[in-house]
Amino acid sequence: MIDRLTLHNFKAFQHLELPLGPLTLLTGLNSSGKSSVLQSIALLRQSYEAGDLAAARLLPEARRVGLRHGVGNQGFLLNGELVALGTGVDVLHEDFTEDEPRIGFAVDEGPRRYGWIVEYEPEQNLLPLLDVDLPLTSEGSAAPTGPEAVTPSFLTAPFQYLHADRISPAEFYPRDHHAAIGRGFLGVRGEHTVNYLRHHADDTVPAGPLHHKRAASDLLRDQAAAWMGDLCPGVDIRAEAIEGTDAVRLSYGFQGTLGATRRRRPSHVGFGLTYVLPVVVACLTARPGSLVLLENPEAHLHPHGQTQMAALCAAAAAQGAQVIMETHSDHVINGVRLAVKDGRLSPGRAVFHYFRGDGTGVEVVSPRVDADGMLDQWPTGFFDELENTLDQLIG
Ligand SMILES: Nc1ncnc2c1ncn2[C@@H]1O[C@H](COP(=O)(O)OP(=O)(O)OP(=O)(O)O)[C@@H](O)[C@H]1O
Ligand SMILES: [Mg+2]
């Protein structure tokens, strides 16, 4: 699990040190840097998967600045399957700190700290890895405890990353064997979810927090239907191949309603169901050690559905996955608080960050949740809109 992420001269951040937990919620104003945090992790993953970050490096305790030469063809691959970030000029923090600009990330996993520093190349989309160590933290970094080149687990762990912009209702979805079946990847827009469900419908969701108590069985198809049923009671989902094509089809049934015998296409049911399906499948298929990055899982859901999605994400974290999500929803916040209060997630496993920027930099405030689900601070602007509006209404 990633315990801490450090960003240096990356996009909105001159320097950011962010503690992460099994369930981390990134909240705050628009354009305050929440997605950029997820992008930094995705950037490391995509560079590693492309073979551009083969030699993961442990930052030594001593802050040694070594030779300034590139490390083979290694570096940050800015454009790929997970993120398309442009070129160096797009990602270097405008107000960078050194004379010679460099971008650096560090990731703490338990006692180990891994770090990467790349050179700034304004026009390049592979920023070369440097054989230098920069002081990425003001505190002492963890001492190396293993061999020089070790791969941190977040680079190889089962992984999902869902952007805010996901699949919408459609007649058919791609049938990409390699992504959905070979790698079990749902796609950044969730575009492989339907094909994944088609192939894995009879997989078992292991007993534990992810098990929905009203599900007909422990099979993925029934578990997914039960969690979706919290959004729209009685719904069931079916994913099937369209013979003779390289496409798959999604349909919905509604038990106990007037049209119970008819299956309906996604375009004839509520938009929110299809939009949230990748989130449901990403959480239900997360296992101990998995890393799940989610942007706005609440999008297009009614308030109670948003609370239920928080419960599902909390269940994935309680089952051993690491879930890092960006949200604008007080129902999601409260759903996680409730999971803590009900004992479904221990308080130390939920981490809240509130990002606020004043145009000159980003400040992060991190309220802590106690066992009763109460937060120890409520910074101005942190989900206080309901109260502010009510004050005006009754004032
Ligand atoms: N090279 C750069 N230097 C400085 N700031 C940058 C740079 N590139 C992007 N930014 C800033 O980083 C921020 C990026 O915001 P990001 O997309 O992470 O926001 P967000 O918090 O996810 O917003 P939303 O809630 O709308 O999704 C913006 O404020 C943008 O101006
Ligand atoms: Mg965002």
Side-chain angles (χ1 to χ4, degrees), residues 9 68 92 96-103 118-120 130 134:
N9 284 338
R68 294 181 185 181
L92 177 73
F96 58 88
T97 35
E98 299 86 29
D99 299 339
E100 275 181 68
R102 283 175 284 197
I103 298 166
V118 295
E119 198 174 352
Y120 171 59
L130 289 173
L134 278 186

Side-chain angles (χ1 to χ4, degrees), residues 235-240 250-255 259-265 268-269:
V235 72
D236 80 80
I237 42 187
R238 189 184 297 165
E240 54 203 346
L250 176 67
S251 66
Y252 296 94
F254 297 91
Q255 291 148 21
T261 51
R262 293 259 315 270
R263 299 204 64 80
R264 300 199 186 278
R265 298 165 191 223
H268 292 284
V269 306

Side-chain angles (χ1 to χ4, degrees), residues 24-36:
T24 304
L25 288 91
L26 310 176
T27 74
L29 306 184
N30 290 113
S31 266
S32 58
K34 303 177 299 295
S35 292
S36 307

Side-chain angles (χ1 to χ4, degrees), residues 1-4 57-61 107-115 140-147 150 152-153:
M1 187 184 93
I2 304 176
D3 296 302
R4 177 184 291 258
R57 304 170 63 240
L58 289 162
L59 275 188
E61 196 169 27
V107 169
D108 288 27
E109 286 187 345
R112 284 183 165 165
R113 160 160 293 198
Y114 303 87
S141 55
T145 53
V150 182
S153 61

Side-chain angles (χ1 to χ4, degrees), residues 181-199:
I181 293 138
R183 296 161 57 216
F185 185 55
L186 302 178
V188 291
R189 300 188 64 241
E191 63 273 25
H192 302 304
T193 306
V194 181
N195 194 31
Y196 182 93
L197 265 181
R198 177 187 68 86
H199 196 267

Side-chain angles (χ1 to χ4, degrees), residues 16-90:
L16 175 76
E17 289 181 40
L18 202 64
L20 303 175
L23 179 59
T24 304
L25 288 91
L26 310 176
T27 74
L29 306 184
N30 290 113
S31 266
S32 58
K34 303 177 299 295
S35 292
S36 307
V37 167
L38 301 181
Q39 287 166 2
S40 66
I41 298 171
L43 175 56
L44 289 170
R45 272 291 296 213
Q46 113 179 346
S47 304
Y48 178 77
E49 284 172 4
D52 294 327
L53 211 61
R57 304 170 63 240
L58 289 162
L59 275 188
E61 196 169 27
R63 293 168 187 173
R64 174 177 60 85
V65 177
L67 294 171
R68 294 181 185 181
H69 58 72
V71 182
N73 291 323
Q74 303 277 294
F76 289 176
L77 181 65
L78 296 183
N79 301 307
E81 183 186 33
L82 302 178
V83 279
L85 299 176
T87 62
V89 69
D90 295 303

